Amino acid sequence: YPTKAMNYFIDGWIGSDFEQSLSNLKSMIEDPSFKGASASDQGVQITEEYGVNYALIKREDLSMDKMDDFFKNSYKEIYTYMQTNGLSPSGEARGLFYKWDEDNGVATLAAAVPISRISNDVGTPVNIEVGESFLGKDYISCKIEGSYSESYNAHIALGKWVEDNNKDLQSPVVEEYLVGPRQTNDTTQFVTKVMYYFK
């Protein structure tokens, strides 16, 4: 009963404030300069990179010491999103690296799962003295075995090849996790394919 009695007065007490708040919210959201949370800051988005559509979560300037947690949590969210929205993976999980700033310890990157057809072009074998490497028309790749720290040597070798051959490196750099934590707990059995795209 006391609540029912208050209902008769509440509109007079806060009605105008409530209407003003809704009006302010509408104006703020419709303002072209509004910088609310974007898909690149949170949540799953669908994006195309190098002709492949991905369901991904992207982070700008993520501290490198938070990368492991970011990937672990993001892939769970991505696969849940895909299942809820009737999407199927067309390949293994990938990491897309848009910016890598070792001096400041941050990276702009995405946890990604391909959801469209992937080219079967494997390229021709090339020797970069690390792993199993192939050269395509607009990329060079290297497949390595072992923990993710092993990929460092692949990145160094691929970067050197791109520089030595006067190619313009494109962004993002792609890591494909062919065998990872979803398949085995033994990090020595991990298989990662690193791909550098160029012009």
Side-chain angles (χ1 to χ4, degrees):
Y1 176 79
T3 305
K4 256 185 155 176
M6 286 182 64
N7 285 343
Y8 292 108
F9 303 101
I10 200 149
D11 188 47
W13 291 339
I14 66 166
S16 61
D17 290 336
F18 185 70
E19 290 298 324
Q20 184 61 50
S21 296
L22 288 176
S23 177
N24 291 346
L25 180 62
K26 181 178 185 293
S27 298
M28 183 175 68
I29 290 172
E30 291 176 349
D31 184 343
S33 65
F34 176 61
K35 302 247 190 276
S38 67
S40 65
D41 294 326
Q42 60 185 12
V44 178
Q45 59 180 313
I46 306 300
T47 301
E48 179 193 347
E49 296 290 359
Y50 308 124
V52 177
N53 290 328
Y54 291 98
L56 60 76
I57 296 175
K58 186 176 179 181
R59 289 292 182 271
E60 306 281 339
D61 296 323
L62 179 73
S63 176
M64 290 180 184
D65 62 354
K66 296 181 179 175
M67 284 174 49
D68 287 346
D69 286 339
F70 165 72
F71 280 117
K72 183 171 61 174
N73 295 329
S74 294
Y75 288 125
K76 286 179 189 173
E77 189 174 338
I78 291 167
Y79 283 112
T80 299
Y81 174 91
M82 290 172 62
Q83 187 174 27
T84 303
N85 290 278
L87 299 172
S88 298
S90 61
E92 295 302 326
R94 298 181 177 196
L96 308 180
F97 297 86
Y98 297 86
K99 182 178 81 173
W100 188 266
D101 183 352
E102 283 193 68
D103 292 337
N104 294 306
V106 296
T108 296
L109 48 80
V113 177
I115 57 173
S116 68
R117 185 179 164 277
I118 299 173
S119 170
N120 291 327
D121 171 35
V122 294
T124 56
V126 62
N127 182 12
I128 63 169
E129 300 179 7
V130 174
E132 185 180 1
S133 302
F134 294 90
L135 179 62
K137 67 179 175 72
D138 61 352
Y139 74 92
I140 183 167
S141 69
C142 180
K143 187 165 68 172
I144 53 168
E145 295 182 13
S147 68
Y148 293 136
S149 61
E150 297 292 324
S151 68
Y152 181 77
N153 292 331
H155 283 281
I156 296 297
L158 290 167
K160 183 177 185 312
W161 185 94
V162 168
E163 186 177 329
D164 290 349
N165 288 274
N166 299 311
K167 303 292 185 182
D168 292 326
L169 181 63
Q170 300 300 292
S171 175
V173 167
V174 179
E175 287 187 356
E176 182 178 12
Y177 309 117
L178 301 172
V179 178
R182 293 180 67 213
Q183 292 87 2
T184 178
N185 291 325
D186 183 357
T187 60
T188 64
Q189 300 297 312
F190 287 2
V191 179
T192 305
K193 181 179 178 183
V194 182
M195 292 169 275
Y196 276 39
Y197 287 81
F198 54 77
K199 282 186 180 177

